[in-house]
Short mmCIF file of all heavy atoms in Angstrom, two decimals:
data_model
loop_
_atom_site.label_atom_id
_atom_site.label_comp_id
_atom_site.label_asym_id
_atom_site.label_seq_id
_atom_site.Cartn_x
_atom_site.Cartn_y
_atom_site.Cartn_z
N ARG K 119 -16.14 -6.13 39.07
CA ARG K 119 -17.52 -6.39 39.49
C ARG K 119 -17.97 -7.77 39.07
O ARG K 119 -17.42 -8.46 38.10
CB ARG K 119 -18.34 -5.27 38.87
CG ARG K 119 -18.08 -4.98 37.36
CD ARG K 119 -18.71 -3.74 36.95
NE ARG K 119 -18.07 -2.53 37.51
CZ ARG K 119 -17.00 -2.02 37.04
NH1 ARG K 119 -16.32 -2.52 35.92
NH2 ARG K 119 -16.46 -0.86 37.58
N GLU K 120 -19.12 -8.13 39.60
CA GLU K 120 -19.75 -9.42 39.40
C GLU K 120 -20.55 -9.19 38.02
O GLU K 120 -21.27 -8.24 37.91
CB GLU K 120 -20.69 -9.67 40.49
CG GLU K 120 -21.03 -11.17 40.59
CD GLU K 120 -22.03 -11.35 41.73
OE1 GLU K 120 -22.01 -10.58 42.71
OE2 GLU K 120 -22.83 -12.22 41.53
N ARG K 121 -20.37 -10.13 37.15
CA ARG K 121 -21.06 -9.97 35.84
C ARG K 121 -21.74 -11.29 35.33
O ARG K 121 -21.33 -12.42 35.85
CB ARG K 121 -20.04 -9.53 34.73
CG ARG K 121 -18.95 -10.45 34.38
CD ARG K 121 -18.09 -10.08 33.34
NE ARG K 121 -18.72 -10.09 32.01
CZ ARG K 121 -18.24 -9.55 30.97
NH1 ARG K 121 -17.15 -8.69 31.05
NH2 ARG K 121 -18.69 -9.73 29.72
N LEU K 122 -22.75 -11.03 34.69
CA LEU K 122 -23.46 -12.19 34.08
C LEU K 122 -23.64 -11.91 32.57
O LEU K 122 -24.08 -10.82 32.30
CB LEU K 122 -24.78 -12.34 34.70
CG LEU K 122 -25.71 -13.38 34.16
CD1 LEU K 122 -25.18 -14.81 34.49
CD2 LEU K 122 -27.19 -13.35 34.70
N ASP K 123 -23.22 -12.84 31.77
CA ASP K 123 -23.43 -12.74 30.40
C ASP K 123 -24.50 -13.37 29.83
O ASP K 123 -24.70 -14.67 30.20
CB ASP K 123 -22.13 -13.29 29.70
CG ASP K 123 -20.87 -12.51 30.01
OD1 ASP K 123 -20.94 -11.27 30.21
OD2 ASP K 123 -19.68 -13.05 30.20
N VAL K 124 -25.38 -12.74 29.06
CA VAL K 124 -26.53 -13.47 28.49
C VAL K 124 -26.43 -13.32 27.01
O VAL K 124 -26.02 -12.21 26.41
CB VAL K 124 -27.89 -12.78 28.96
CG1 VAL K 124 -29.09 -13.46 28.42
CG2 VAL K 124 -27.88 -12.76 30.51
N ARG K 125 -26.72 -14.30 26.28
CA ARG K 125 -26.54 -14.32 24.82
C ARG K 125 -27.82 -13.42 24.25
O ARG K 125 -28.88 -13.60 24.61
CB ARG K 125 -26.68 -15.71 24.29
CG ARG K 125 -25.56 -16.62 24.69
CD ARG K 125 -25.58 -17.94 23.98
NE ARG K 125 -25.49 -17.79 22.50
CZ ARG K 125 -24.36 -17.64 21.87
NH1 ARG K 125 -23.15 -17.86 22.57
NH2 ARG K 125 -24.29 -17.53 20.68
N ALA K 126 -27.34 -12.74 23.25
CA ALA K 126 -28.29 -11.78 22.54
C ALA K 126 -29.29 -12.59 21.88
O ALA K 126 -30.43 -11.98 21.45
CB ALA K 126 -27.48 -10.90 21.57
N SER K 127 -28.99 -13.86 21.48
CA SER K 127 -29.97 -14.56 20.72
C SER K 127 -31.04 -15.17 21.54
O SER K 127 -32.04 -15.76 21.01
CB SER K 127 -29.28 -15.72 19.97
OG SER K 127 -28.43 -16.43 20.86
N GLU K 128 -30.97 -15.07 22.80
CA GLU K 128 -32.03 -15.62 23.78
C GLU K 128 -33.37 -14.86 23.52
O GLU K 128 -33.40 -13.71 23.16
CB GLU K 128 -31.66 -15.46 25.23
CG GLU K 128 -30.31 -16.17 25.49
CD GLU K 128 -30.71 -17.35 26.50
OE1 GLU K 128 -31.88 -17.53 26.85
OE2 GLU K 128 -29.64 -18.15 26.72
N GLU K 129 -34.43 -15.52 23.79
CA GLU K 129 -35.63 -14.80 23.75
C GLU K 129 -35.78 -13.65 24.80
O GLU K 129 -35.31 -13.91 25.94
CB GLU K 129 -36.82 -15.82 24.09
CG GLU K 129 -37.23 -16.65 22.90
CD GLU K 129 -37.76 -15.89 21.68
OE1 GLU K 129 -38.60 -14.95 21.87
OE2 GLU K 129 -37.32 -16.24 20.41
N PRO K 130 -36.23 -12.47 24.46
CA PRO K 130 -36.45 -11.48 25.40
C PRO K 130 -37.00 -11.81 26.69
O PRO K 130 -36.59 -11.48 27.75
CB PRO K 130 -37.18 -10.32 24.75
CG PRO K 130 -36.92 -10.58 23.37
CD PRO K 130 -36.64 -12.02 23.12
N ALA K 131 -37.91 -12.68 26.61
CA ALA K 131 -38.70 -13.18 27.97
C ALA K 131 -37.67 -13.96 28.92
O ALA K 131 -37.75 -13.92 30.11
CB ALA K 131 -39.96 -13.99 27.63
#
Side-chain angles (χ1 to χ4, degrees):
R119 47 192 72 82
E120 209 184 321
R121 64 181 281 166
L122 177 68
D123 295 328
V124 181
R125 293 186 67 83
S127 52
E128 299 252 352
E129 283 296 317

